[in-house]
Amino acid sequence: MSQTKRLLIGIVILGGLAGLVLSVEMWRGAALAQSAGAEATLTPGAVPIYLQGQRVAAFEPADLERLPLANFVEPVENKTQEGWLLYDVLRLYLPEEALLADTQVRVISTSRGKSAELTWGEIADLKNMVMFDLSGRGTLKLVSLLDRLATRDQWVQDTDRIEVNVP
Amino acid sequence: MLKLRWPARPPSAGKSHRGETRWFTQRLVETSPLRAADPRTKLALALGASLAVMLPLPRLGLFLAGYVLLVAWARLLPEVGRHLWRARWVLGLLFVVDFWLVGPELALTISLRVALLTGVFALFFSTTTPRELGLALEALRLPYRYAFSLTLALASLSLLEEEWQAIREAQAARGVQPGRGLRELWRQAGDLVAFTVPAIVLTTRRAWNATEAAYARGFDSPHRRPYQSLRLSRLDYALLGVCGAGLAVLFWGGRFLP
Amino acid sequence: MTEALRLDAVSFRYPRDGLGVGPVSLALPAGEALLLAEASGGGKSTLARLACGLIPHLYHGELRGEALLFGQPISRQPLWAISERAGLVFQNPAMQMLTTSVEDEIIFGLENLGLSPAEVRRRLEAALQCLGLEPLRQRGPQTLSGGEQQKLALACALARRPDLLVLDEPLSMLDSTAARDLVGHLRELQAAGQTLLICEHRREFLADLPGLRTARLANGGAARPTAPAPDPGSAAGPLAAAEAFSLTVQSLTARRGGRAILRDLEFTLAAGQLVAVLGRNGTGKTTLLRALAGLQPAEGRLAVQSAAGETAPRFSLVFQNPDLQLFQASVRAEILFRLPQPDLAWYEWLLNHLGLKRYEEAPPLLLSEGEKRRVALATALMRQAPHGVLLDEPSLGQDAHHKAVLLRTLRQLTHAGRLVIMATHDLELAAQADMLLVLGANGLVAHGRPAELMAEAALWPRAGLWLPDWAWPAAETRPC
Amino acid sequence: MTRPAWSGYFSTFQLILLALFSALIVVAKIVLRTPLQLPGHTGIFWMAIMLVATRVVPRRGAASVVGVTSGIMAAFLGAGDFGALNTFLSYTAVGVGVDLAMLLLPNMENLPQAALVGALGHTGKFLVKWVIGVVAQAPVGFLALGLARSIAGYIVFGALGGVLGALTLLALRRAGYFAYLAEKK
């Protein structure tokens, strides 16, 4: 290989490395700015809702007043859970066409590292009682009569994010 | 741009007595109880601790509390403090930028992570002598010749530093003074060569003298038997056990932790 | 009687320039001591390395003849096996230190013998005690004085209990007290039946080793020709005479790392003097030269007075280690480096006078140590600093012939009205000076003419210097 | 005691030489602090010594040995402002970067090749610092002078170091250094 060719390849590699770093950093910067901008609009205690990765709405605590209350008695400790159905919450913010039977809904607590995966079909089946209970600390916890959410361990306390993906 | 100034000595330089260089910030803390621990244990502790940067904030906080207790027990708070002090501007800047762009939680997390990475190896390096480092490297299956050359290099640092200073003076006495700005760039390059060539020659000479001196004292003998060998003591097992268990709980402790 | 070392017509040539040593024949019976003496740049170090197997095991080159160590051919034994029978102490003590503490330094060689830890401990303690190094056992070798380092090097070699101990110019970098101390240890070793092979210029110190035989390598030993005697006709060199001046030093104090190295020095020197600065290692001889050259920050007054008024002193400094400066492709380029209008007559005079003419186009790095020293001297003298020249240990590793050449060159400068100040532990050289400055641990102990200072018998112990009889050619002035 | 086969890859003298070159890098880094606080300015001497080392010990991997050794030493001595791990990794990256770059550009006495190897090796150091920043989720791009200027600094000073290395090698050859070296085993 000639010297010129070697030098050119070297320069291309060097430029490629610099370009890679700059573009990754630009992308990181943009992502950070976007999330910073998005988070900034949230009022304290609001739960952002993401549809296909994009934040489309935030579930404000004040909105709860517009929704009907629901309740059930959980069978393990025989305590009454009272709150708002996830069915009502999502219908309040998301368009009908996003809410298909196999739409995946993920309710997340980042601070506790917990989440629950549900389909719209399960949520829309009102006998499953998939609902949010307002805890004493003012945060939301997801409770349900569904088998995989039947016990306290399986509930999602301190919910702070909802992700919705339409297949 | 290529304007170099050659201070007579670096600002923090000083010599306690001839040849003993103190311009490095690391010091051996003889009073630390970690002096008695095996260097491999300390290396494992430091590496384990640097993994903790991956923990989420509440757990990172718990880890740091434990880490501070360990450092305090090892009487190394001033050493770790000195490292953090040197990084204070960067840590401050990181905190402010993150606070401004995102929020206090991220700002705190990032600052704590960087602080941890900055101070964590002081545990190892301020309680280990070059000889112990060599023994540890040997015990970690590095061939003796490599470990020896590393400890020799550490032993030669003060000599090389004196030579750098002497070259600077000797060349300055002949009018070699880098730092005249861009106009005489080529001449400046020549001036820099007047430093690097003697430095390379003297270093090579030192390397050759050391090679001869080592072979004259039986280096590479197949009969070599180390005078000291490393052995893990109860202290090592206790440290590894406590710190390993602590990290394991923090990483996999699941719902029992915040 | 067993022969420790036998060389039969042994010669060794380095590949670079074909120089080396031999052919040499000699026999050293076990239990005896032999001194190898010949001109500098010859083959003493080569022979010392040969006796310990470093040649041919670590050097490329052509070895001829037969070299036997205790009856075994050196070239056919592994180096580690040779090192168990022959120990070596090198010339430069700082350069042979390998570890970070005195103890580790001794232990290093003992580990290589495969001894049990208990035996290593026993031999370590014995070696420390024998050479009085116990108080220094935890110190870093690089923090010791030159004399202490050389004792440590001897301890490292002795602890391995070699049958033959080879010493390559062990005294050349030591002050007279340290040198006498080391020779004292050699005397004890000799009395205990240790076989010794010593290569040394400073033979005067070895005079009280009983039974020391001397072998000269002059015929066939030195392959490198020595510098020719200067042409007497050119002795009056082309250097123009300088205006008369005097150098005044008042309350000179210099510190390193907060510690005062020089304290309240006061003296006056006149142009045209050859001045020797004496003192033990670490008393600040080099620091004084650096202060005079403007390289060392110092408090006090340093001034040159002449008819034109008072100015700061302007001297050239010749450093102890020539390798600090040399980097050019030829001796000529090195000496004329960055001189816009060099005085070519002076250049030619220096080249001829210092015996460098034949190396004019050779790279300085490839010259012998003594020749490099002379190139470094020439580079400093070419600059013709107005007040003169400062020299740090100029006679290091130089034989009598080259010391004479050096002295004549320096006299040329003093005749032309320059001031020449040299720091040295070479008492023979110092005795030829016009003026002595004797430094002690607490500053200047005395200054005056050599003959006057010799008369003060109490002075030398105060300076910590041992003054042997032979150091002073004018022995009739000595009070005894 | 058995030795791994690779332990004889370098001769003892070569190993000691590489270790002392590493020490020289650490000393140069600390002694020759320039008042320029541009990112990567110490790379001039650093890269020069590194490049000389690869020619003085002409075996593949020499630069990596210098990188790792100087990394351990610098970490041991507490050099660098971001702790030992960062120091060790970034020194190592320079060595590995130079070795990799020399696969493409082997002639260190050729000024353009040496400059490019210097730039590539020094960029390796930048990459490590950057990756550590990314892993720790630190917004490196916002620090001090901005990312583009930092990269440019590393590339320029690395290249200058490469040029100084090549000039040093040429001067060493003219001064007979390699003839001196050749007589040692």
Side-chain angles (χ1 to χ4, degrees), chain B residues 50-75:
Chain B
S50 48
L51 288 179
V53 290
M54 293 186 280
L55 291 168
L57 181 60
R59 295 183 188 197
L60 181 62
L62 275 180
F63 175 82
L64 281 171
Y67 177 70
V68 169
L69 282 179
L70 178 71
V71 170
W73 168 77
R75 299 188 202 171

PDB file of all heavy atoms in Angstrom, chain B residues 50-75:
ATOM      1  N   SER B  50     -15.658   0.641  42.484  1.00  0.00           N
ATOM      2  CA  SER B  50     -15.894   1.441  41.277  1.00  0.00           C
ATOM      3  C   SER B  50     -17.088   0.895  40.484  1.00  0.00           C
ATOM      4  O   SER B  50     -17.644   1.603  39.654  1.00  0.00           O
ATOM      5  CB  SER B  50     -14.636   1.538  40.413  1.00  0.00           C
ATOM      6  OG  SER B  50     -14.084   0.282  40.233  1.00  0.00           O
ATOM      7  N   LEU B  51     -17.476  -0.377  40.755  1.00  0.00           N
ATOM      8  CA  LEU B  51     -18.687  -0.893  40.092  1.00  0.00           C
ATOM      9  C   LEU B  51     -19.949  -0.218  40.638  1.00  0.00           C
ATOM     10  O   LEU B  51     -20.981  -0.186  39.979  1.00  0.00           O
ATOM     11  CB  LEU B  51     -18.814  -2.404  40.331  1.00  0.00           C
ATOM     12  CG  LEU B  51     -17.827  -3.291  39.586  1.00  0.00           C
ATOM     13  CD1 LEU B  51     -18.067  -4.754  39.942  1.00  0.00           C
ATOM     14  CD2 LEU B  51     -17.976  -3.100  38.080  1.00  0.00           C
ATOM     15  N   ALA B  52     -19.820   0.289  41.862  1.00  0.00           N
ATOM     16  CA  ALA B  52     -21.003   0.849  42.523  1.00  0.00           C
ATOM     17  C   ALA B  52     -21.573   2.066  41.807  1.00  0.00           C
ATOM     18  O   ALA B  52     -22.672   2.501  42.109  1.00  0.00           O
ATOM     19  CB  ALA B  52     -20.673   1.209  43.968  1.00  0.00           C
ATOM     20  N   VAL B  53     -20.836   2.619  40.840  1.00  0.00           N
ATOM     21  CA  VAL B  53     -21.377   3.785  40.114  1.00  0.00           C
ATOM     22  C   VAL B  53     -22.675   3.416  39.391  1.00  0.00           C
ATOM     23  O   VAL B  53     -23.453   4.284  39.035  1.00  0.00           O
ATOM     24  CB  VAL B  53     -20.395   4.365  39.072  1.00  0.00           C
ATOM     25  CG1 VAL B  53     -19.231   5.028  39.734  1.00  0.00           C
ATOM     26  CG2 VAL B  53     -19.957   3.317  38.083  1.00  0.00           C
ATOM     27  N   MET B  54     -22.880   2.107  39.182  1.00  0.00           N
ATOM     28  CA  MET B  54     -24.069   1.715  38.419  1.00  0.00           C
ATOM     29  C   MET B  54     -25.335   1.682  39.277  1.00  0.00           C
ATOM     30  O   MET B  54     -26.423   1.471  38.769  1.00  0.00           O
ATOM     31  CB  MET B  54     -23.828   0.335  37.802  1.00  0.00           C
ATOM     32  CG  MET B  54     -22.755   0.362  36.737  1.00  0.00           C
ATOM     33  SD  MET B  54     -22.583  -1.189  35.877  1.00  0.00           S
ATOM     34  CE  MET B  54     -21.614  -2.137  36.993  1.00  0.00           C
ATOM     35  N   LEU B  55     -25.186   1.874  40.593  1.00  0.00           N
ATOM     36  CA  LEU B  55     -26.352   1.795  41.484  1.00  0.00           C
ATOM     37  C   LEU B  55     -27.246   3.031  41.328  1.00  0.00           C
ATOM     38  O   LEU B  55     -26.751   4.126  41.072  1.00  0.00           O
ATOM     39  CB  LEU B  55     -25.878   1.709  42.940  1.00  0.00           C
ATOM     40  CG  LEU B  55     -25.182   0.410  43.345  1.00  0.00           C
ATOM     41  CD1 LEU B  55     -24.519   0.582  44.708  1.00  0.00           C
ATOM     42  CD2 LEU B  55     -26.174  -0.732  43.385  1.00  0.00           C
ATOM     43  N   PRO B  56     -28.563   2.859  41.507  1.00  0.00           N
ATOM     44  CA  PRO B  56     -29.440   4.037  41.507  1.00  0.00           C
ATOM     45  C   PRO B  56     -29.207   4.871  42.767  1.00  0.00           C
ATOM     46  O   PRO B  56     -28.620   4.378  43.734  1.00  0.00           O
ATOM     47  CB  PRO B  56     -30.847   3.433  41.495  1.00  0.00           C
ATOM     48  CG  PRO B  56     -30.684   2.050  42.014  1.00  0.00           C
ATOM     49  CD  PRO B  56     -29.300   1.606  41.656  1.00  0.00           C
ATOM     50  N   LEU B  57     -29.678   6.092  42.738  1.00  0.00           N
ATOM     51  CA  LEU B  57     -29.283   7.075  43.755  1.00  0.00           C
ATOM     52  C   LEU B  57     -29.440   6.609  45.207  1.00  0.00           C
ATOM     53  O   LEU B  57     -28.478   6.677  45.966  1.00  0.00           O
ATOM     54  CB  LEU B  57     -30.023   8.399  43.530  1.00  0.00           C
ATOM     55  CG  LEU B  57     -29.647   9.493  44.535  1.00  0.00           C
ATOM     56  CD1 LEU B  57     -28.155   9.802  44.461  1.00  0.00           C
ATOM     57  CD2 LEU B  57     -30.454  10.747  44.283  1.00  0.00           C
ATOM     58  N   PRO B  58     -30.611   6.104  45.619  1.00  0.00           N
ATOM     59  CA  PRO B  58     -30.719   5.776  47.053  1.00  0.00           C
ATOM     60  C   PRO B  58     -29.688   4.730  47.466  1.00  0.00           C
ATOM     61  O   PRO B  58     -29.071   4.822  48.527  1.00  0.00           O
ATOM     62  CB  PRO B  58     -32.140   5.224  47.178  1.00  0.00           C
ATOM     63  CG  PRO B  58     -32.850   5.659  45.955  1.00  0.00           C
ATOM     64  CD  PRO B  58     -31.827   5.826  44.886  1.00  0.00           C
ATOM     65  N   ARG B  59     -29.481   3.740  46.581  1.00  0.00           N
ATOM     66  CA  ARG B  59     -28.524   2.692  46.931  1.00  0.00           C
ATOM     67  C   ARG B  59     -27.092   3.195  46.867  1.00  0.00           C
ATOM     68  O   ARG B  59     -26.237   2.782  47.639  1.00  0.00           O
ATOM     69  CB  ARG B  59     -28.708   1.501  45.988  1.00  0.00           C
ATOM     70  CG  ARG B  59     -30.070   0.867  46.178  1.00  0.00           C
ATOM     71  CD  ARG B  59     -30.228  -0.333  45.312  1.00  0.00           C
ATOM     72  NE  ARG B  59     -31.616  -0.789  45.403  1.00  0.00           N
ATOM     73  CZ  ARG B  59     -32.023  -1.987  45.029  1.00  0.00           C
ATOM     74  NH1 ARG B  59     -31.145  -2.839  44.551  1.00  0.00           N
ATOM     75  NH2 ARG B  59     -33.274  -2.327  45.142  1.00  0.00           N
ATOM     76  N   LEU B  60     -26.860   4.090  45.909  1.00  0.00           N
ATOM     77  CA  LEU B  60     -25.528   4.695  45.828  1.00  0.00           C
ATOM     78  C   LEU B  60     -25.237   5.443  47.124  1.00  0.00           C
ATOM     79  O   LEU B  60     -24.132   5.393  47.666  1.00  0.00           O
ATOM     80  CB  LEU B  60     -25.458   5.647  44.624  1.00  0.00           C
ATOM     81  CG  LEU B  60     -24.121   6.346  44.380  1.00  0.00           C
ATOM     82  CD1 LEU B  60     -23.023   5.334  44.081  1.00  0.00           C
ATOM     83  CD2 LEU B  60     -24.218   7.333  43.229  1.00  0.00           C
ATOM     84  N   GLY B  61     -26.256   6.106  47.636  1.00  0.00           N
ATOM     85  CA  GLY B  61     -26.106   6.829  48.908  1.00  0.00           C
ATOM     86  C   GLY B  61     -25.747   5.871  50.030  1.00  0.00           C
ATOM     87  O   GLY B  61     -24.834   6.127  50.814  1.00  0.00           O
ATOM     88  N   LEU B  62     -26.478   4.736  50.065  1.00  0.00           N
ATOM     89  CA  LEU B  62     -26.174   3.732  51.091  1.00  0.00           C
ATOM     90  C   LEU B  62     -24.738   3.236  50.953  1.00  0.00           C
ATOM     91  O   LEU B  62     -23.999   3.103  51.929  1.00  0.00           O
ATOM     92  CB  LEU B  62     -27.108   2.524  50.928  1.00  0.00           C
ATOM     93  CG  LEU B  62     -28.465   2.602  51.594  1.00  0.00           C
ATOM     94  CD1 LEU B  62     -29.252   1.322  51.324  1.00  0.00           C
ATOM     95  CD2 LEU B  62     -28.277   2.775  53.106  1.00  0.00           C
ATOM     96  N   PHE B  63     -24.353   2.964  49.691  1.00  0.00           N
ATOM     97  CA  PHE B  63     -22.993   2.468  49.454  1.00  0.00           C
ATOM     98  C   PHE B  63     -21.971   3.486  49.933  1.00  0.00           C
ATOM     99  O   PHE B  63     -20.987   3.131  50.599  1.00  0.00           O
ATOM    100  CB  PHE B  63     -22.786   2.185  47.960  1.00  0.00           C
ATOM    101  CG  PHE B  63     -21.377   1.789  47.649  1.00  0.00           C
ATOM    102  CD1 PHE B  63     -20.949   0.492  47.835  1.00  0.00           C
ATOM    103  CD2 PHE B  63     -20.444   2.736  47.239  1.00  0.00           C
ATOM    104  CE1 PHE B  63     -19.646   0.131  47.601  1.00  0.00           C
ATOM    105  CE2 PHE B  63     -19.139   2.389  47.006  1.00  0.00           C
ATOM    106  CZ  PHE B  63     -18.738   1.074  47.193  1.00  0.00           C
ATOM    107  N   LEU B  64     -22.206   4.745  49.581  1.00  0.00           N
ATOM    108  CA  LEU B  64     -21.228   5.775  49.960  1.00  0.00           C
ATOM    109  C   LEU B  64     -21.113   5.891  51.475  1.00  0.00           C
ATOM    110  O   LEU B  64     -20.018   6.110  52.000  1.00  0.00           O
ATOM    111  CB  LEU B  64     -21.617   7.121  49.346  1.00  0.00           C
ATOM    112  CG  LEU B  64     -21.231   7.242  47.878  1.00  0.00           C
ATOM    113  CD1 LEU B  64     -21.832   8.500  47.275  1.00  0.00           C
ATOM    114  CD2 LEU B  64     -19.718   7.279  47.728  1.00  0.00           C
ATOM    115  N   ALA B  65     -22.235   5.708  52.158  1.00  0.00           N
ATOM    116  CA  ALA B  65     -22.177   5.772  53.622  1.00  0.00           C
ATOM    117  C   ALA B  65     -21.242   4.678  54.135  1.00  0.00           C
ATOM    118  O   ALA B  65     -20.362   4.919  54.980  1.00  0.00           O
ATOM    119  CB  ALA B  65     -23.573   5.616  54.207  1.00  0.00           C
ATOM    120  N   GLY B  66     -21.406   3.464  53.574  1.00  0.00           N
ATOM    121  CA  GLY B  66     -20.535   2.354  53.973  1.00  0.00           C
ATOM    122  C   GLY B  66     -19.089   2.631  53.595  1.00  0.00           C
ATOM    123  O   GLY B  66     -18.165   2.365  54.362  1.00  0.00           O
ATOM    124  N   TYR B  67     -18.921   3.196  52.411  1.00  0.00           N
ATOM    125  CA  TYR B  67     -17.569   3.480  51.916  1.00  0.00           C
ATOM    126  C   TYR B  67     -16.862   4.500  52.818  1.00  0.00           C
ATOM    127  O   TYR B  67     -15.688   4.344  53.166  1.00  0.00           O
ATOM    128  CB  TYR B  67     -17.678   3.996  50.486  1.00  0.00           C
ATOM    129  CG  TYR B  67     -16.369   4.402  49.864  1.00  0.00           C
ATOM    130  CD1 TYR B  67     -15.422   3.449  49.532  1.00  0.00           C
ATOM    131  CD2 TYR B  67     -16.069   5.738  49.618  1.00  0.00           C
ATOM    132  CE1 TYR B  67     -14.215   3.809  48.979  1.00  0.00           C
ATOM    133  CE2 TYR B  67     -14.868   6.109  49.057  1.00  0.00           C
ATOM    134  CZ  TYR B  67     -13.952   5.140  48.741  1.00  0.00           C
ATOM    135  OH  TYR B  67     -12.752   5.505  48.192  1.00  0.00           O
ATOM    136  N   VAL B  68     -17.615   5.526  53.211  1.00  0.00           N
ATOM    137  CA  VAL B  68     -17.025   6.544  54.095  1.00  0.00           C
ATOM    138  C   VAL B  68     -16.623   5.910  55.432  1.00  0.00           C
ATOM    139  O   VAL B  68     -15.547   6.196  55.972  1.00  0.00           O
ATOM    140  CB  VAL B  68     -18.013   7.719  54.306  1.00  0.00           C
ATOM    141  CG1 VAL B  68     -17.530   8.647  55.412  1.00  0.00           C
ATOM    142  CG2 VAL B  68     -18.182   8.487  53.010  1.00  0.00           C
ATOM    143  N   LEU B  69     -17.458   4.988  55.913  1.00  0.00           N
ATOM    144  CA  LEU B  69     -17.107   4.301  57.167  1.00  0.00           C
ATOM    145  C   LEU B  69     -15.803   3.518  56.998  1.00  0.00           C
ATOM    146  O   LEU B  69     -14.917   3.548  57.860  1.00  0.00           O
ATOM    147  CB  LEU B  69     -18.229   3.344  57.577  1.00  0.00           C
ATOM    148  CG  LEU B  69     -19.458   3.986  58.218  1.00  0.00           C
ATOM    149  CD1 LEU B  69     -20.495   2.922  58.543  1.00  0.00           C
ATOM    150  CD2 LEU B  69     -19.059   4.718  59.497  1.00  0.00           C
ATOM    151  N   LEU B  70     -15.689   2.821  55.874  1.00  0.00           N
ATOM    152  CA  LEU B  70     -14.472   2.040  55.599  1.00  0.00           C
ATOM    153  C   LEU B  70     -13.254   2.955  55.536  1.00  0.00           C
ATOM    154  O   LEU B  70     -12.201   2.676  56.119  1.00  0.00           O
ATOM    155  CB  LEU B  70     -14.643   1.277  54.283  1.00  0.00           C
ATOM    156  CG  LEU B  70     -13.440   0.456  53.817  1.00  0.00           C
ATOM    157  CD1 LEU B  70     -13.244  -0.757  54.716  1.00  0.00           C
ATOM    158  CD2 LEU B  70     -13.610  -0.007  52.372  1.00  0.00           C
ATOM    159  N   VAL B  71     -13.407   4.071  54.824  1.00  0.00           N
ATOM    160  CA  VAL B  71     -12.294   5.015  54.669  1.00  0.00           C
ATOM    161  C   VAL B  71     -11.912   5.608  56.032  1.00  0.00           C
ATOM    162  O   VAL B  71     -10.731   5.747  56.359  1.00  0.00           O
ATOM    163  CB  VAL B  71     -12.669   6.132  53.666  1.00  0.00           C
ATOM    164  CG1 VAL B  71     -11.629   7.229  53.676  1.00  0.00           C
ATOM    165  CG2 VAL B  71     -12.799   5.559  52.273  1.00  0.00           C
ATOM    166  N   ALA B  72     -12.925   5.906  56.843  1.00  0.00           N
ATOM    167  CA  ALA B  72     -12.643   6.469  58.163  1.00  0.00           C
ATOM    168  C   ALA B  72     -11.921   5.437  59.029  1.00  0.00           C
ATOM    169  O   ALA B  72     -10.935   5.748  59.700  1.00  0.00           O
ATOM    170  CB  ALA B  72     -13.940   6.900  58.837  1.00  0.00           C
ATOM    171  N   TRP B  73     -12.376   4.181  58.964  1.00  0.00           N
ATOM    172  CA  TRP B  73     -11.714   3.120  59.726  1.00  0.00           C
ATOM    173  C   TRP B  73     -10.257   2.968  59.268  1.00  0.00           C
ATOM    174  O   TRP B  73      -9.350   2.782  60.065  1.00  0.00           O
ATOM    175  CB  TRP B  73     -12.476   1.807  59.527  1.00  0.00           C
ATOM    176  CG  TRP B  73     -11.723   0.611  60.019  1.00  0.00           C
ATOM    177  CD1 TRP B  73     -11.570   0.210  61.312  1.00  0.00           C
ATOM    178  CD2 TRP B  73     -10.995  -0.331  59.215  1.00  0.00           C
ATOM    179  NE1 TRP B  73     -10.799  -0.915  61.363  1.00  0.00           N
ATOM    180  CE2 TRP B  73     -10.432  -1.279  60.093  1.00  0.00           C
ATOM    181  CE3 TRP B  73     -10.777  -0.463  57.830  1.00  0.00           C
ATOM    182  CZ2 TRP B  73      -9.653  -2.337  59.635  1.00  0.00           C
ATOM    183  CZ3 TRP B  73     -10.004  -1.520  57.386  1.00  0.00           C
ATOM    184  CH2 TRP B  73      -9.448  -2.446  58.281  1.00  0.00           C
ATOM    185  N   ALA B  74     -10.056   3.110  57.931  1.00  0.00           N
ATOM    186  CA  ALA B  74      -8.702   2.953  57.379  1.00  0.00           C
ATOM    187  C   ALA B  74      -7.855   4.212  57.574  1.00  0.00           C
ATOM    188  O   ALA B  74      -6.710   4.246  57.129  1.00  0.00           O
ATOM    189  CB  ALA B  74      -8.788   2.599  55.903  1.00  0.00           C
ATOM    190  N   ARG B  75      -8.395   5.197  58.236  1.00  0.00           N
ATOM    191  CA  ARG B  75      -7.702   6.484  58.481  1.00  0.00           C
ATOM    192  C   ARG B  75      -7.217   7.127  57.185  1.00  0.00           C
ATOM    193  O   ARG B  75      -6.099   7.622  57.081  1.00  0.00           O
ATOM    194  CB  ARG B  75      -6.503   6.288  59.408  1.00  0.00           C
ATOM    195  CG  ARG B  75      -6.936   5.745  60.748  1.00  0.00           C
ATOM    196  CD  ARG B  75      -5.803   5.725  61.722  1.00  0.00           C
ATOM    197  NE  ARG B  75      -6.101   4.767  62.760  1.00  0.00           N
ATOM    198  CZ  ARG B  75      -5.258   4.360  63.682  1.00  0.00           C
ATOM    199  NH1 ARG B  75      -4.038   4.840  63.691  1.00  0.00           N
ATOM    200  NH2 ARG B  75      -5.601   3.498  64.583  1.00  0.00           N
TER     201      ARG B  75
END
